[in-house]
């Protein structure tokens, strides 16, 4: 659909400029402001990039008003019900659902890249036992560049394809090794006869002293959570990966930067913060006190797992996870009072004018931790789980950018510092 341009006029000079309108296959129209500074001498100011498109992409579409999320056009609800995480990884990476032979070849490649260099385990053993696993992940994933420096040129298509598979395959291995270092257990090596989620559970929880039984309910729940967390267009960590990628940095540095960005409690760190918050609230009788804190501008407390920059409706992932909570906890025979507390908190918040007016709904992080906890993961590993899944999105977005490199990302600023002044000798200060 061709859109008429938007004309802006500078009232100070009476100069006008036609801004072309860019319209994608889905989503809101966007103004191309490329000529704004050159023609009218103005930058645009948009802290937090709330109204700024940083790139074009074919990968993931979100409609925040309608609560829609699609990977390469496929609704998240259908993928959650019918697909698997490895198949979704193929879809996000290559743009189409794989035929059987394509799927098997991809699954084989991912499976046979799960090992890491033994020296990486030595690196992990150097951390203090109580190091936060996200701190370890950011360091260790970045250090993969020290092992693969001969094949990580972002300009080389073969190197890009190999790095993509290596990262997706090795994230669970590294995550499990970080957890086991904390537990004081020996590393459990990947078993290639298992599928992606079974293998990760085995690497996490098996102990040498006895055989480890994979619980199919746990493996299926993990696969679902990984599908739901795989990509989410230009969120903070993905934008970080793209910005680092725009400098020509190697893929391991880009993904390590994404891990660091995801760790923040306003982003992927929220799933850990939600469980800590629910434990802090403790009982439904305390909900009113914490709701008041969440609404108090002078109180830093926020209802973690609530609100979203894009979703001004229910996060479709949160709906799916909330349903899965009941099934998984029932199947596992787990009775977690925190689930009831979370649902009561959601109910009260969604009836509260403060949350209704600001369109604050539960997001992907509100319920996910309850399932992770039921599967035996410690709270400190929750964001690591998010990072394992989001590596597929980060890598897909990095590939898309690397295939059509953009100029280096370099935002400008509004300078409010001191105007020019001369140096004063210390003797005169
Ligand atoms: C993820 O971007 C993505 O796609 C991210 C993600 C992904 O898949 O990659 O979806 C994953 O990061 C989900 C979000 C997880 N974070 C949390 O749950 C942390 C709690 N949420 C908030 O910090 C907040 O809602 C954000 C960070 C998620 C969104 O922040 P925005 O868009 O900058 O919104 P805002 O801070 O401007 O809030 C608007 C208003 C403010 O009140 P007023 O100034 O209008 O009075 O809503 C209030 C905020 O104070 N508000 C909250 C709130 N979230 C927003 N008040 C209480 N509790 C909250 N959780």
């Amino acid at each position: 659909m061709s859109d008429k341009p938007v004309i802006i006029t500078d009232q100070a000079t009476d100069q006008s400029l036609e801004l072309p309108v860019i319209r994608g296959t889905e989503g809101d129209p966007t103004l191309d402001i490329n000529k704004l500074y050159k023609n009218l001498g103005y930058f645009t100011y948009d802290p937090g990039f709330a109204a700024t498109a940083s790139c074009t992409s074919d990968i993931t579409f979100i409609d925040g008003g309608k609560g829609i999320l699609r990977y390469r056009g496929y609704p998240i609800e259908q993928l959650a019900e019918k697909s698997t995480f490895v198949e979704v990884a193929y879809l996000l990476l290559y743009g189409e659902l794989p035929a059987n032979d394509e799927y098997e070849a991809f699954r084989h490649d991912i499976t046979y890249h799960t090992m890491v260099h033994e020296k990486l385990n030595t690196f992990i053993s150097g951390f203090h036992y109580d190091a936060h696993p996200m701190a370890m992940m950011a360091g260790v994933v970045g250090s993969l560049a020290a092992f693969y420096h001969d094949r990580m040129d972002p300009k080389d298509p073969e190197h890009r394809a190999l790095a993509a598979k290596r990262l997706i395959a090795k994230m669970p291995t590294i995550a499990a090794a970080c957890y086991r270092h904390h537990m004081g257990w020996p590393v459990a090596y990947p078993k290639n006869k298992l599928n992606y989620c079974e293998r990760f559970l085995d690497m996490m929880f098996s102990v040498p002293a006895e055989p480890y039984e994979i619980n199919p309910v746990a493996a299926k729940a993990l696969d679902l959570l990984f599908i739901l967390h795989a990509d989410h267009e230009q969120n903070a960590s993905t934008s970080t990966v793209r910005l680092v990628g725009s400098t020509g940095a190697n893929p391991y540095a880009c993904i390590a930067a994404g891990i660091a960005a995801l760790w923040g409690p306003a982003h992927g760190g929220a799933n850990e913060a939600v469980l800590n918050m629910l434990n802090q609230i403790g009982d439904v009788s305390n909900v009113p006190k914490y709701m008041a804190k969440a609404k108090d501008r002078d109180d830093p407390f926020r209802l973690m797992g609530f609100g979203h920059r894009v979703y001004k409706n229910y996060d479709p992932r949160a709906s799916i996870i909330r349903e899965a909570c009941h099934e998984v906890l029932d199947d596992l025979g787990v009775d977690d009072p925190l689930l009831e507390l979370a649902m009561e908190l959601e109910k009260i918040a969604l009836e509260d004018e403060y949350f209704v007016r600001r369109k604050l709904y539960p997001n992907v992080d509100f319920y996910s931790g309850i399932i992770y906890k039921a599967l035996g993961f410690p709270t400190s590993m929750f964001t690591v789980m998010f990072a394992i899944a989001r590596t597929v999105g980060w890598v897909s977005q990095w590939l898309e950018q690397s295939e059509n490199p953009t100029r280096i990302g370099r935002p400008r600023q509004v300078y409010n510092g001191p105007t020019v002044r001369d140096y004063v000798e210390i003797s005169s200060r």
Side-chain angles (χ1 to χ4, degrees):
M1 174 197 292
S2 70
D3 288 68
K4 288 201 176 73
V6 167
I7 298 173
I8 62 169
T9 302
D10 182 349
Q11 300 293 334
T13 63
D14 242 356
Q15 263 194 295
S16 294
L17 176 67
E18 280 194 359
L19 296 179
V21 173
I22 305 169
R23 189 181 283 276
T25 51
E26 295 263 18
D28 301 314
T30 307
L31 287 182
D32 179 345
I33 57 166
N34 256 308
K35 295 193 171 59
L36 182 62
Y37 180 65
K38 188 159 163 266
N39 288 273
L40 294 186
Y42 290 97
F43 287 126
T44 55
Y45 179 61
D46 182 22
F49 308 120
T52 295
S54 61
C55 63
T56 59
S57 179
D58 301 355
I59 299 172
T60 294
F61 173 69
I62 302 172
D63 181 319
K66 296 184 185 129
I68 288 173
L69 168 58
R70 301 189 196 122
Y71 293 161
R72 302 283 190 177
Y74 294 97
I76 192 67
E77 294 81 3
Q78 292 183 27
L79 294 171
E81 186 192 336
K82 300 175 179 167
S83 189
T84 64
F85 178 61
V86 171
E87 184 179 74
V88 163
Y90 184 100
L91 172 66
L92 287 168
L93 282 167
Y94 306 118
E96 298 298 335
L97 287 170
N100 203 41
D101 58 337
E102 293 168 324
Y103 174 75
E104 281 309 320
F106 180 69
R107 191 189 58 76
H108 175 277
D109 286 355
I110 295 297
T111 301
Y112 286 86
H113 278 288
T114 50
M115 292 277 288
V116 293
H117 193 289
E118 196 57 27
K119 283 276 184 235
L120 215 65
N121 289 320
T122 312
F123 178 7
I124 290 172
S125 67
F127 285 100
H128 202 259
Y129 80 95
D130 63 353
H132 194 290
M134 281 298 279
M136 298 167 82
M137 291 295 289
V140 174
V141 171
S143 78
L144 288 173
F147 295 90
Y148 299 121
H149 40 71
D150 56 333
R151 300 178 77 184
M152 58 180 196
D153 177 0
K155 291 192 285 301
D156 183 323
E158 275 183 31
H159 289 194
R160 292 200 295 264
L162 178 57
K165 289 173 184 168
R166 277 174 162 162
L167 280 156
I168 294 168
K170 295 179 196 306
M171 282 294 280
T173 309
I174 295 168
C178 290
Y179 170 69
R180 296 176 77 96
H181 170 67
H182 165 72
M183 296 300 286
W185 296 348
V187 163
Y189 291 95
K191 294 190 176 77
N192 288 345
K193 66 178 187 318
L194 299 174
N195 72 33
Y196 194 88
C197 289
E198 292 168 343
R199 183 163 56 238
F200 178 49
L201 287 168
D202 181 77
M203 289 192 285
M204 278 289 297
F205 299 122
S206 66
V207 287
E210 54 192 51
Y212 175 70
E213 274 298 299
I214 304 270
N215 181 329
V217 171
K220 190 170 179 310
L222 207 48
D223 200 83
L224 169 65
L225 287 169
F226 283 175
I227 289 172
L228 296 173
H229 285 79
D231 193 47
H232 213 235
E233 60 131 285
Q234 307 312 316
N235 58 84
S237 54
T238 300
S239 299
T240 300
V241 169
R242 280 182 173 259
L243 185 60
V244 176
S246 76
T247 71
N250 72 74
Y252 306 105
C254 294
I255 302 308
I259 293 171
L262 185 75
W263 195 7
H267 190 15
N271 56 15
E272 177 177 356
V274 167
L275 253 289
N276 295 336
M277 173 188 74
L278 291 174
N279 283 314
Q280 185 185 356
I281 294 172
D283 182 83
V284 175
S285 59
N286 296 324
V287 167
K289 182 176 86 175
Y290 283 92
M291 289 289 286
K293 286 169 63 68
K295 299 189 286 187
D296 178 356
R297 274 180 169 281
D298 300 325
D299 190 322
F301 177 83
R302 281 203 163 179
L303 212 51
M304 302 312 281
F306 256 78
H308 198 278
R309 173 61 59 76
V310 177
Y311 289 123
K312 299 308 171 192
N313 197 323
Y314 216 100
D315 182 333
R317 302 167 296 177
S319 312
I320 296 169
I321 296 172
R322 186 184 54 191
E323 290 321 304
C325 275
H326 293 291
E327 291 157 26
V328 172
L329 269 62
D330 287 352
D331 288 349
L332 295 176
V334 170
D335 175 18
D336 187 347
L338 291 186
L339 175 56
E340 296 316 313
L341 175 58
M343 293 185 64
E344 187 56 27
L345 190 56
E346 173 192 340
K347 183 173 170 296
I348 295 170
L350 296 188
E351 289 164 358
D352 185 291
E353 187 274 337
Y354 173 96
F355 287 84
V356 172
R357 186 153 54 82
R358 291 169 177 80
K359 297 186 170 50
L360 303 176
Y361 291 87
N363 58 52
V364 68
D365 293 310
F366 189 62
Y367 286 105
S368 55
I370 290 173
I371 296 182
Y372 289 140
K373 180 183 169 202
L375 299 182
F377 292 94
T379 312
S380 61
M381 282 293 287
F382 288 6
T383 311
V384 173
M385 310 295 284
F386 197 148
I388 291 171
R390 188 51 60 88
T391 293
V392 165
W394 290 332
V395 163
S396 303
Q397 302 262 354
W398 171 76
L399 283 176
E400 182 177 65
Q401 176 178 288
S402 303
E403 284 151 15
N404 303 290
T406 55
R407 299 169 71 197
I408 187 170
R410 206 287 188 201
R412 302 304 299 271
Q413 63 175 10
V414 174
Y415 175 71
N416 284 326
T419 53
V420 65
R421 52 183 173 165
D422 293 325
Y423 183 82
V424 177
E425 293 303 333
I426 193 163
S427 54
S428 311
R429 289 177 219 155

